[in-house]
Amino acid sequence: KVKEKVNSDYDSSSVREKRRLKLQSSYSEEFDAQCFEYVLNKMDKKQGLIGLDIGCADGYVTELRFKKEYPFDMVIGVDFNEKLIEKISQEDHGHFYYHQLDLEAKDFDDRIQAIMDEHEIEGFDVIFSALTLHHLKNPQRILMKLRKYLNRGGAIIIRGVDDGAMLAYDDGGLVEKILKETISFENVSDRFHGRKFYTMLCSLGYKDIQMRYQVDDTTHMTFEEREDFFHYYFDFRLSYTLRTLNKDPDNPLYQENHMKMQEMLDELEEKFMKPDFFFSTLTISAIGFK
Ligand SMILES: C[S@@+](CC[C@H](N)C(=O)[O-])C[C@H]1O[C@@H](n2cnc3c(N)ncnc32)[C@H](O)[C@@H]1O
């Protein structure tokens, strides 16, 4: 079942989630760099670029992806997590600036315009977004809006995943069960968003769209690497059942769901750590130009 409406109450400010995001970032560092370098080479404008990172969390990934050696004069990161933005916007991050912004806010246009006015800029040359669009109820709408703020000749790079791209053996069907259970919760993000990138960008008039994929699998991984890989792809699924349970701790159904998920994840982790267990998945990026 491909979920169409999303209502994710995801929080990226917990210590555990920040750690997982850092780990996640390390898997895609080279992959993102190739996307950025492709875009920078293809664009006519070579200097004084303005960047925007949508869903920047604490700016960790923003500052690694918009590398200091790239010709950006200014990079703005936006995220709706007040705690994270308040902290980083009080620090000096050189030419990186951070603002609290809800991408789904009714007054999104006014808010982003105010940010642009504050920095005296008229548009962005590169818009980047990693693992954020799947949290939105209507990612198509924000991609449409963002295109307005992209300078002519500018590019957008969006990165995500898709649970449908996962292969596992010999898990006895456990991965499928966990994925099925994951999407049954109300507050879950769109676990099948990677497949939608091309159609979304294409329908919104982005040009020269290019899809890129990175395959990651467990073959050749050390025990520790397998452990990290498992946490990256499965750990957070427990937070869905936990958040639901926290809202109504005495609800026996929520208690049971949480316990069931915990048990399935424990069982999968055990399998995952065995050297002959196979798991592979894709990281998916799309690049489009205006
Ligand atoms: C999985 S994290 C990814 C963070 C970072 N881009 C990275 O790659 O590590 C998703 C981010 O999107 C932000 N986010 C989710 N919904 C949002 C919304 N409606 N407006 C702004 N930011 C949002 C979250 O606060 C979170 O920091």
Side-chain angles (χ1 to χ4, degrees):
K1 183 179 162 229
V2 178
K3 238 179 149 77
E4 294 301 343
K5 286 272 177 267
V6 180
N7 180 21
S8 153
D9 54 8
Y10 167 75
D11 178 4
S12 53
S13 62
S14 72
V15 174
R16 194 183 167 89
E17 183 57 8
K18 277 204 269 189
R19 222 195 102 243
R20 197 184 70 88
L21 289 177
K22 281 191 181 162
L23 180 67
Q24 195 161 264
S25 154
S26 66
Y27 283 112
S28 54
E29 200 161 339
E30 186 52 40
F31 181 61
D32 282 345
Q34 286 166 6
C35 294
F36 267 83
E37 278 150 36
Y38 169 76
V39 155
L40 295 175
N41 279 332
K42 202 168 148 71
M43 275 170 40
D44 292 334
K45 195 169 164 188
K46 298 288 179 209
Q47 277 178 351
L49 304 182
I50 310 290
L52 174 69
D53 186 5
I54 291 290
C56 63
D58 64 357
Y60 176 81
V61 172
T62 317
E63 293 181 29
L64 284 176
R65 297 311 187 258
F66 287 88
K67 293 184 186 180
K68 299 271 185 315
E69 62 262 34
Y70 294 161
F72 286 94
D73 273 7
M74 183 187 293
V75 178
I76 294 175
V78 296
D79 200 289
F80 75 170
N81 192 307
E82 282 173 29
K83 245 193 275 175
L84 290 176
I85 295 296
E86 202 184 304
K87 185 169 178 292
I88 37 172
S89 49
Q90 279 165 6
E91 303 157 355
D92 179 8
H93 284 261
H95 68 295
F96 291 90
Y97 299 90
Y98 297 96
H99 293 269
Q100 197 271 338
L101 177 65
D102 181 356
L103 301 166
E104 300 182 305
K106 289 224 161 27
D107 60 349
F108 172 83
D109 287 295
D110 294 340
R111 298 279 319 278
I112 192 139
Q113 192 59 58
I115 294 171
M116 287 161 60
D117 290 348
E118 185 183 327
H119 294 284
E120 299 179 351
I121 55 174
E122 287 178 4
F124 301 96
D125 299 298
V126 177
I127 299 179
F128 173 65
S129 185
L131 297 164
T132 296
L133 293 169
H134 60 303
H135 290 292
L136 308 179
K137 285 193 196 78
N138 192 344
Q140 178 111 356
R141 193 175 154 75
I142 184 70
L143 289 172
M144 179 186 77
K145 282 180 178 285
L146 288 174
R147 194 177 174 282
K148 275 199 285 187
Y149 304 104
L150 194 58
N151 291 333
R152 197 149 291 282
I156 188 163
I157 303 170
I158 54 178
R159 169 163 57 81
V161 289
D162 193 304
D163 279 359
M166 289 183 181
L167 300 176
Y169 191 79
D170 180 12
D171 64 328
L174 197 53
V175 166
E176 207 178 313
K177 258 206 248 166
I178 291 170
L179 299 184
K180 216 169 143 201
E181 193 68 19
T182 305
I183 57 167
S184 69
F185 297 104
E186 269 303 297
N187 54 357
V188 81
S189 57
D190 179 1
R191 305 303 316 158
F192 304 103
H193 66 299
R195 69 188 65 181
K196 299 173 186 167
F197 285 176
Y198 178 78
T199 306
M200 284 198 289
L201 292 187
C202 195
S203 67
L204 292 168
Y206 286 94
K207 291 187 305 195
D208 299 331
I209 300 163
Q210 199 186 74
M211 295 297 296
R212 292 186 171 221
Y213 309 92
Q214 172 173 298
V215 183
D216 288 304
D217 71 41
T218 48
T219 61
H220 308 296
M221 280 191 180
T222 62
F223 186 87
E224 285 73 21
E225 285 166 345
R226 273 173 186 267
E227 222 166 20
D228 280 348
F229 199 46
F230 175 80
H231 289 302
Y232 170 14
Y233 280 103
F234 290 99
D235 220 4
F236 67 93
R237 292 170 202 268
L238 198 61
S239 65
Y240 294 132
T241 51
L242 188 62
R243 280 203 300 265
T244 313
L245 181 62
N246 283 342
K247 283 181 193 159
D248 186 1
D250 298 325
N251 187 318
L253 178 68
Y254 295 166
Q255 289 170 353
E256 194 193 320
N257 283 343
H258 186 59
M259 238 169 56
K260 206 162 93 189
M261 183 61 93
Q262 176 80 73
E263 281 168 11
M264 287 195 296
L265 289 174
D266 286 348
E267 195 184 333
L268 183 62
E269 187 171 15
E270 247 177 66
K271 290 181 189 291
F272 219 90
M273 293 314 139
K274 297 199 173 114
D276 64 347
F277 182 78
F278 175 77
F279 177 79
S280 88
T281 192
L282 293 181
T283 293
I284 303 174
S285 280
I287 299 170
F289 290 84
K290 179 169 170 182

